[in-house]
Amino acid sequence: MGVRVGHLQVIVSIDSREGAERVGRALVEARLVACFQVIGPMSSIYRWKGEIEQAEEWLCLAKTTTERFDELRERLVVLHPYENPEIIATPIVAGHADYLQWISAETAPAVRS
Amino acid sequence: MGVRVGHLQVIVSIDSREGAERVGRALVEARLVACFQVIGPMSSIYRWKGEIEQAEEWLCLAKTTTERFDELRERLVVLHPYENPEIIATPIVAGHADYLQWISAETAPAVRS
Amino acid sequence: MGVRVGHLQVIVSIDSREGAERVGRALVEARLVACFQVIGPMSSIYRWKGEIEQAEEWLCLAKTTTERFDELRERLVVLHPYENPEIIATPIVAGHADYLQWISAETAPAVRS
């Protein structure tokens, strides 16, 4: 290609394990992420309308490419149950080459014949 | 402002859930983080005085801005029970715009009248 | 040294807690990571031979330097039970200086007399 594709770890929080797994399956199915990992529960502490709140959430870790991120983010905003969901991406700056190539291959849009 | 504010995910490990949640509440209260998530327990393996040790810890994930990081780090060093606590930051290079704006708004120093 | 050493958080997934802890002890022993944290279980969702699969894994978070990463990756590929293991690194762009120095010290190759 000539252009080096970057890879991202995308971090999302969702309020139930079942909801998180449902979102994950939809994103793998759509080839927007190569994998989607759900871990929890965790306690999330934040301010809401001036009060400190604490809620139970599940942490989701997904792998994708920089090329696919915009479409992933748009889809996640639709699939996610919150009004303003946590969707953040951290860069993958090194890794096992075969694994990075697997992320690229699994997120390449499917060619339809 | 003219300057693009960066966002960070800050990672901290603490030896009890209660201690982690106490630190988290203090940091949200002080507007040094927009949210503070506590997950665990995890097994931490490391070398201490020449021996391999294993300890139970809780993983904490906080969101803040690059502008607030130095003050956050200074406060964390005081609040954290360890002599040399794990406090590291990874960059947030992309994300849902409304969520990133929420991090910025929640960590802006309060204006007092 | 004159050259600023970078630090990395390395992320690995392994299919059992015992296997993950065994890998972690070997890497700390070899001074390839300063610490190795194991948390889980998590549900991993991915495509395998055209089908969506779901498996239980443990998330591993290790700290090292950019200088030690290549040797760490090579050792991990050997120690890890998978054919194509998840081994990815995210940059540590800020942190508690004493903790970052501890990572550097604990991963410096041992001097043998």
Side-chain angles (χ1 to χ4, degrees):
Chain A
M1 290 182 298
V3 178
R4 189 173 169 277
V5 177
H7 297 89
L8 297 172
Q9 171 154 279
V10 180
I11 302 166
V12 180
S13 299
I14 300 187
D15 62 354
S16 77
R17 176 184 292 279
E18 294 70 27
E21 290 179 358
R22 197 163 47 236
V23 167
R25 286 182 167 267
L27 296 175
V28 173
E29 186 70 49
R31 307 185 68 85
L32 289 169
V33 303
C35 70
F36 191 93
Q37 299 160 322
V38 179
I39 186 167
M42 64 180 176
S43 300
S44 290
I45 301 165
Y46 55 93
R47 185 182 292 100
W48 185 250
K49 300 188 179 179
E51 298 296 320
I52 309 289
E53 302 282 346
Q54 186 163 336
E56 191 170 78
E57 292 187 301
W58 273 259
L59 176 65
C60 308
L61 303 173
K63 324 297 173 193
T64 195
T65 61
T66 50
E67 288 182 338
R68 295 292 269 161
F69 181 73
D70 284 345
E71 191 175 338
L72 167 60
R73 188 193 58 220
E74 286 167 17
R75 189 73 61 93
L76 258 171
V77 169
V78 172
L79 291 173
H80 200 292
Y82 299 0
E83 193 183 314
N84 187 8
E86 176 188 345
I87 304 169
I88 60 174
T90 55
I92 297 175
V93 292
H96 179 43
D98 289 353
Y99 184 77
L100 299 180
Q101 286 167 13
W102 176 79
I103 296 176
S104 297
E106 289 298 322
T107 56
V111 177
R112 292 161 197 276
S113 57
Chain B
M1 289 182 299
V3 177
R4 187 171 171 279
V5 176
H7 297 90
L8 297 171
Q9 171 154 279
V10 180
I11 302 165
V12 180
S13 299
I14 300 188
D15 62 354
S16 77
R17 176 183 292 280
E18 295 70 29
E21 291 179 357
R22 197 163 47 237
V23 168
R25 288 182 166 267
L27 296 175
V28 173
E29 186 70 50
R31 307 184 69 85
L32 289 169
V33 303
C35 71
F36 192 93
Q37 299 161 321
V38 179
I39 187 167
M42 64 181 177
S43 300
S44 290
I45 301 165
Y46 55 93
R47 185 182 292 101
W48 185 250
K49 300 188 179 180
E51 299 294 321
I52 309 289
E53 301 282 345
Q54 185 163 338
E56 191 169 79
E57 293 187 301
W58 273 260
L59 177 64
C60 308
L61 303 172
K63 324 297 174 192
T64 195
T65 62
T66 49
E67 288 182 338
R68 295 291 270 163
F69 181 73
D70 283 346
E71 191 176 339
L72 167 60
R73 188 192 59 217
E74 287 167 15
R75 188 74 60 93
L76 257 171
V77 169
V78 172
L79 291 173
H80 199 292
Y82 299 1
E83 192 182 314
N84 187 9
E86 176 189 345
I87 305 169
I88 59 175
T90 54
I92 297 174
V93 291
H96 179 44
D98 290 353
Y99 184 78
L100 299 180
Q101 286 166 12
W102 176 78
I103 296 175
S104 296
E106 289 298 323
T107 57
V111 177
R112 293 162 196 278
S113 57
Chain C
M1 290 180 299
V3 178
R4 188 172 169 277
V5 177
H7 298 89
L8 297 171
Q9 171 154 280
V10 180
I11 303 166
V12 180
S13 299
I14 299 187
D15 63 354
S16 77
R17 175 183 293 280
E18 294 69 27
E21 291 178 359
R22 197 163 47 236
V23 167
R25 286 182 168 268
L27 296 175
V28 172
E29 186 69 49
R31 307 185 69 85
L32 289 170
V33 303
C35 70
F36 191 93
Q37 298 160 322
V38 179
I39 186 167
M42 64 181 176
S43 300
S44 289
I45 301 165
Y46 55 94
R47 185 182 293 100
W48 185 249
K49 301 189 179 179
E51 300 294 320
I52 309 289
E53 301 281 346
Q54 186 163 337
E56 190 169 79
E57 293 187 301
W58 273 259
L59 176 66
C60 308
L61 303 173
K63 323 297 175 193
T64 194
T65 61
T66 50
E67 289 182 338
R68 295 291 269 164
F69 181 73
D70 284 345
E71 191 175 338
L72 167 60
R73 189 192 58 218
E74 287 167 16
R75 188 71 62 95
L76 258 171
V77 169
V78 173
L79 291 174
H80 199 291
Y82 299 1
E83 193 183 315
N84 187 8
E86 176 189 344
I87 304 169
I88 60 175
T90 55
I92 297 174
V93 292
H96 179 45
D98 289 354
Y99 184 78
L100 298 180
Q101 286 167 12
W102 176 78
I103 296 175
S104 297
E106 288 299 323
T107 57
V111 177
R112 293 162 196 276
S113 56

